[in-house]
C-alpha cells in the first residue's frame, strides 16, 4: 500500500493472538491506565490488568521489592513472581517477605 505525502500511516504494534504478539501487563492501573489499555488494544497490543490485593502495601514497605515474571499462561502451581526482602539477618528478611 502506498501513502501520499502528508498522509499518516496507521500504526501496527502487534498481531493479537500470535505467539510473538506485543503484550502489556498494567499493574495498579486506574482510570488513566484503562484509557492507555483501550488505546493499546486499538493498535493490536494484547493487554491484561489483573487485580492484585496488597500490592500497594508491599511497594510502600521499605526494603521490599516485588518482581513479576513474564509468563504466557498461568496455572495453579506456576510461580508468577517473587517478593524480595532485605534485613539485618536472613530470618528477619524472610519473615518480612512472608508478611507482605
Amino acid at each position: 500500500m502506498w501513502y501520499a505525502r502528508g498522509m499518516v500511516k496507521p500504526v501496527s504494534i502487534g498481531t493479537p493472538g500470535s505467539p510473538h504478539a506485543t503484550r502489556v501487563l498494567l499493574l495498579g492501573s486506574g482510570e488513566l491506565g484503562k484509557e492507555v489499555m483501550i488505546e493499546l488494544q486499538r493498535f493490536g497490543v494484547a493487554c491484561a490488568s489483573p487485580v492484585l490485593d496488597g500490592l500497594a502495601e508491599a511497594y510502600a514497605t521499605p526494603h521490599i521489592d516485588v518482581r513479576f515474571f513474564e509468563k504466557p499462561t498461568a496455572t495453579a502451581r506456576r510461580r508468577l513472581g517473587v517478593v524480595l526482602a532485605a534485613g539485618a539477618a536472613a530470618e528477619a528478611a524472610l519473615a518480612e517477605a512472608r508478611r507482605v
Side-chain angles (χ1 to χ4, degrees), residues 27-50:
L27 300 174
S29 57
E31 290 299 318
L32 180 59
K34 290 177 186 175
E35 295 297 325
V36 169
M37 185 180 292
I38 291 169
E39 291 300 316
L40 286 171
Q41 288 172 344
R42 288 181 56 217
F43 291 117
V45 176
C47 298
S49 180

Side-chain angles (χ1 to χ4, degrees), residues 1-37:
M1 178 174 238
W2 62 275
Y3 294 93
R5 187 174 301 174
M7 290 181 64
V8 177
K9 287 185 178 181
V11 176
S12 177
I13 298 175
T15 304
S18 73
H20 303 289
T22 304
R23 293 183 292 266
V24 173
L25 177 66
L26 295 174
L27 300 174
S29 57
E31 290 299 318
L32 180 59
K34 290 177 186 175
E35 295 297 325
V36 169
M37 185 180 292

Side-chain angles (χ1 to χ4, degrees), residues 46-69:
C47 298
S49 180
V51 176
L52 303 171
D53 295 329
L55 193 59
E57 178 189 353
Y59 280 126
T61 307
H63 307 295
I64 294 287
D65 192 18
V66 181
R67 303 276 175 98
F68 293 96
F69 307 140

